[in-house]
Amino acid sequence: MEYELIIIGGGPAGAAAGVYASRKRLKTLLATYDFGGQSVVSEKIENWIGTPAISGADLASSLRKHVEVYAGDILTVKEGEKITSVQKNGGVFEVKTESGNSWSGKTVLIAAGSGRRKLQAKNADLLEHKGLTYCASCDGPLFSDMDVVVVGGGNAAFETASQLLAYCRSVTLLNHSEGFAKADPGTVEKVLSNPKMKAIDNAEVVEVKGEKFVSGLVYKNKKTEETLELAVSGIFVEIGQTPNTGFVKDLVELDQYGRVKIDARTQKSSTPGIWAAGDCSDILYHQNNIAAGDAVKAVEDIYLHLHAK
């Protein structure tokens, strides 16, 4: 069977695309390992529009249920599938999976998301989502009037710090290197000018402290080798993301971080017939709502590509 559209991914972008493609009566296959994306592990999401508060697990369930409403004659859903390659044969794309399945489609929407680079420090894994988090937009308000740390030194770290300054008593940024070469100088200057803000260079986090919840962290000064401890209630990690785009690295143009380069007006990639949306694309901001909106934009353009151009 040849599909009009194959959607890769089951996060907010993939789910939104599945719903919109179905409503446009596009013969569609949605293939994903699971539903929910990165937010599935969040205990409380307060910025998913239309829902004051929802857990990551409930969001994943909601996305699945919405997609399954349209499953049947027009939409096929394949869950538990890990995509290994996408190849172009003439005017058709062949999508292959780790389990040996293969599907053909006229167009492809890559909505595979990305994974956060994890903090490699003692106890970091044990206290994840117990004071150690990877999303200030999701969890920042929970740390109102508390002392927190941001780990990172790029634009994302400073933007996270800026958000947290609206809620927290103090924000300390721990930068692994000397200076902030990866961050915009204007942003750095503005954020560091806040009296509640402090930055420490050459800091390597070696241990996260706490029993049931984060109570502090230990870091090493890479220059002096001195070990120091900070008493904080929250740790926000912004050390980069790894896009899930390895299966198309030889087919579409990627940026220096491995994200699919897109035309922001249409979500088109460099390869005709392939679109991308969400965290796997080279967008500026990474949010569930933005990912869903970008996927809808992509489906609108895909429909025109197939039926009006």
Side-chain angles (χ1 to χ4, degrees):
M1 177 187 294
E2 183 178 290
Y3 294 93
E4 290 184 278
L5 170 62
I6 296 178
I7 300 166
I8 299 172
V19 170
Y20 268 72
S22 300
R23 291 175 64 84
K24 288 181 176 295
R25 305 301 293 171
L26 294 177
K27 192 72 175 178
T28 301
L29 169 74
L30 189 154
T32 184
Y33 187 76
D34 53 20
F35 281 88
Q38 291 186 56
S39 294
V40 71
V41 294
S42 296
E43 293 183 5
K44 191 177 184 182
I45 301 166
E46 296 181 325
N47 61 343
W48 180 243
I49 301 302
T51 307
I54 187 171
S55 70
D58 286 344
L59 175 61
S61 176
S62 177
L63 293 175
R64 179 189 286 106
K65 288 177 181 177
H66 199 169
V67 169
E68 288 177 344
V69 166
Y70 296 93
D73 65 325
I74 197 68
L75 173 66
T76 300
V77 178
K78 296 289 185 179
E79 194 172 355
E81 295 285 2
K82 184 176 180 179
I83 307 303
T84 55
S85 71
V86 179
Q87 299 174 346
K88 189 173 185 179
N89 298 319
V92 177
F93 295 97
E94 297 291 333
V95 177
K96 297 183 179 181
T97 74
E98 192 173 66
S99 62
N101 285 322
S102 178
W103 306 291
S104 299
K106 293 179 180 179
T107 62
V108 173
L109 172 58
I110 304 168
S114 65
R116 295 274 187 170
R117 288 181 184 155
K118 300 291 186 177
L119 179 64
Q120 300 300 312
K122 184 179 178 181
N123 297 329
D125 56 337
L126 299 178
L127 290 166
E128 188 170 325
H129 309 298
K130 299 175 182 177
L132 188 151
T133 179
Y134 292 83
C135 183
S137 295
C138 306
D139 301 326
L142 303 176
F143 294 83
S144 180
D145 297 321
M146 298 182 188
D147 299 310
V148 302
V149 155
V150 174
V151 181
N155 277 329
F158 277 93
E159 289 164 4
T160 288
S162 178
Q163 291 184 55
L164 294 172
L165 286 167
Y167 317 111
C168 301
R169 182 167 54 197
S170 74
V171 179
T172 301
L173 186 143
L174 297 182
N175 180 27
H176 191 266
S177 57
E178 181 83 36
F180 309 107
K182 294 182 179 180
D184 175 70
T187 301
V188 173
E189 182 180 2
K190 186 172 183 179
V191 173
L192 291 183
S193 69
N194 191 302
K196 297 194 296 181
M197 181 73 198
K198 181 173 72 172
I200 301 174
D201 281 342
N202 300 302
E204 180 183 353
V205 180
V206 295
E207 182 179 358
V208 178
K209 307 286 284 188
E211 296 295 330
K212 295 181 178 180
F213 204 82
V214 167
S215 62
L217 62 75
V218 178
Y219 72 94
K220 180 178 72 174
N221 184 306
K222 293 169 60 183
K223 275 192 171 181
T224 66
E225 298 295 319
E226 182 183 10
T227 299
L228 301 159
E229 186 168 341
L230 290 175
V232 294
S233 300
I235 300 171
F236 292 80
V237 183
E238 285 291 354
I239 54 177
Q241 296 183 333
T242 303
N244 300 320
T245 57
F247 56 88
V248 288
K249 62 183 176 66
D250 298 321
L251 186 59
V252 301
E253 187 177 358
L254 306 178
D255 70 4
Q256 60 181 320
Y257 305 109
R259 301 174 301 187
V260 180
K261 286 189 174 184
I262 58 163
D263 172 0
R265 292 179 68 251
T266 62
Q267 304 296 127
K268 287 179 179 176
S269 76
S270 60
T271 299
I274 296 182
W275 286 252
D279 287 4
C280 65
S281 63
D282 65 338
I283 55 175
L284 183 57
Y285 302 110
H286 299 267
Q287 295 290 321
N288 286 335
N289 294 294
I290 293 172
D294 282 354
V296 171
K297 189 198 308 180
V299 172
E300 294 286 355
D301 199 64
I302 289 167
Y303 183 85
L304 293 177
H305 170 82
L306 289 169
H307 294 288
K309 293 181 180 178

